[in-house]
Amino acid sequence: MISTWQHKRFSLSLIVLLAGFAFMHCAQGAQLYRYKDDQGKTVLNSTIPPQYVGKGYDILNERGRLIERVPPALTPEQIAAREAEKERQKQLEAARLEQQRIDNELRQLYSHPDDAVRVLKRRIQDIEGVIQVKLSQIESTESEIIKQEGKAANIQRSGRTIPESIIASIKAFKNDIENAQADIAELRDERSKVFEEFDTKIKRLEVITQKKASDYTEWLQSAQTDAPKNGADTKPES
């Protein structure tokens, strides 16, 4: 049987052991806060006053080692700058993805920049062909106006009244010329847009394919110099 003395000794040992565990648990859970007060002095304490939390502080363990560094709270200006930078990065990423989409489409359509140059040449040739047709129509209509005006002059010199049909015919011819001139202006605007569109495509293809368009620069200069200009700006005489 265990004697009373042995029982007391066992109980005392158990109490000491439990107390040691409790002390170790408290010691392990203890932490300190290091911060600066209003005078700029570093303070080390087991608590941190609320007014200093926003200024940033360090959390230390019971041995004084750094556990975590809490940065100061951002000012409204810093928050605005952070959000602006986030938006800028978002826009940059969107632009990158859009360029990636465009590049993929270009690769599917053209294996070489010269392919795009050939398409451009056909588009410009088609537009210039229509412009030439319109110019020919203007020239032909101007000839008709001259004829009708000649008839009107002869009738007027004879002392007779110019028929309404001739006046209406001349007016209709002049309207036709104005419409043709408007069409030519639109075609030239389309021509400029096609040049701009394909110039961007060709230069981008040269980048992503690492290939050079063979005669693009020389042809572009020639095409822009030799663009049909005559007749489109002709104003019929009133």
Side-chain angles (χ1 to χ4, degrees):
M1 293 182 62
I2 299 175
S3 65
T4 301
W5 179 83
Q6 288 176 327
H7 179 75
K8 289 181 179 181
R9 183 177 180 183
F10 174 77
S11 298
L12 181 60
S13 299
L14 181 61
I15 291 172
V16 171
L17 182 62
L18 292 174
F21 283 140
F23 176 79
M24 289 176 63
H25 176 75
C26 293
Q28 290 176 354
Q31 62 183 19
L32 298 173
Y33 298 93
R34 182 171 60 196
Y35 59 92
K36 291 185 181 295
D37 61 15
D38 293 334
Q39 285 73 42
K41 296 180 180 179
T42 300
V43 179
L44 191 63
N45 204 340
S46 59
T47 61
I48 177 172
Q51 65 268 29
Y52 297 126
V53 171
K55 297 180 180 181
Y57 56 91
D58 295 333
I59 301 176
L60 312 176
N61 62 15
E62 74 283 355
R63 297 182 180 180
R65 292 181 179 177
L66 181 66
I67 300 175
E68 181 182 358
R69 176 156 289 166
V70 180
L74 297 178
T75 65
E77 292 78 10
Q78 290 172 326
I79 293 174
R82 181 190 64 187
E83 295 305 313
E85 178 60 20
K86 286 183 180 179
E87 181 63 24
R88 189 182 74 87
Q89 293 297 330
K90 180 180 177 181
Q91 292 177 358
L92 287 174
E93 178 62 13
R96 186 189 69 80
L97 293 174
E98 176 63 13
Q99 187 62 62
Q100 186 179 65
R101 182 190 67 79
I102 293 172
D103 290 349
N104 290 336
E105 289 184 354
L106 287 174
R107 289 190 182 95
Q108 292 174 359
L109 292 171
Y110 312 104
S111 61
H112 193 285
D114 285 343
D115 298 335
V117 174
R118 283 190 289 271
V119 175
L120 170 60
K121 289 180 179 180
R122 288 197 299 269
R123 291 279 300 276
I124 295 302
Q125 185 178 8
D126 291 343
I127 292 172
E128 289 178 351
V130 178
I131 290 176
Q132 289 296 344
V133 170
K134 295 290 181 181
L135 290 173
S136 297
Q137 291 174 349
I138 290 174
E139 185 177 356
S140 176
T141 305
E142 286 175 338
S143 297
E144 290 298 325
I145 290 175
I146 292 173
K147 291 179 182 179
Q148 294 298 319
E149 288 179 339
K151 290 180 181 181
N154 291 332
I155 292 171
Q156 195 174 35
R157 279 194 295 270
S158 67
R160 291 177 293 161
T161 302
I162 301 173
E164 287 295 328
S165 59
I166 293 179
I167 295 174
S169 178
I170 292 173
K171 184 178 180 180
F173 285 141
K174 289 181 177 181
N175 286 336
D176 290 342
I177 290 176
E178 289 179 358
N179 291 334
Q181 289 173 339
D183 291 341
I184 290 173
E186 291 181 1
L187 287 165
R188 286 181 171 169
D189 184 58
E190 181 184 354
R191 185 177 184 274
S192 298
K193 290 179 179 178
V194 169
F195 270 126
E196 183 178 354
E197 174 191 349
F198 274 84
D199 187 64
T200 300
K201 288 181 177 180
I202 292 165
K203 289 178 179 177
R204 186 60 188 173
L205 280 165
E206 289 180 333
V207 172
I208 63 180
T209 64
Q210 297 295 303
K211 300 174 183 177
K212 191 74 174 175
S214 56
D215 63 344
Y216 172 61
T217 302
E218 295 77 6
W219 174 84
L220 182 62
Q221 292 174 348
S222 175
Q224 291 177 336
T225 301
D226 298 337
K229 296 182 177 64
N230 297 329
D233 297 325
T234 302
K235 300 293 184 181
E237 295 180 2
S238 57

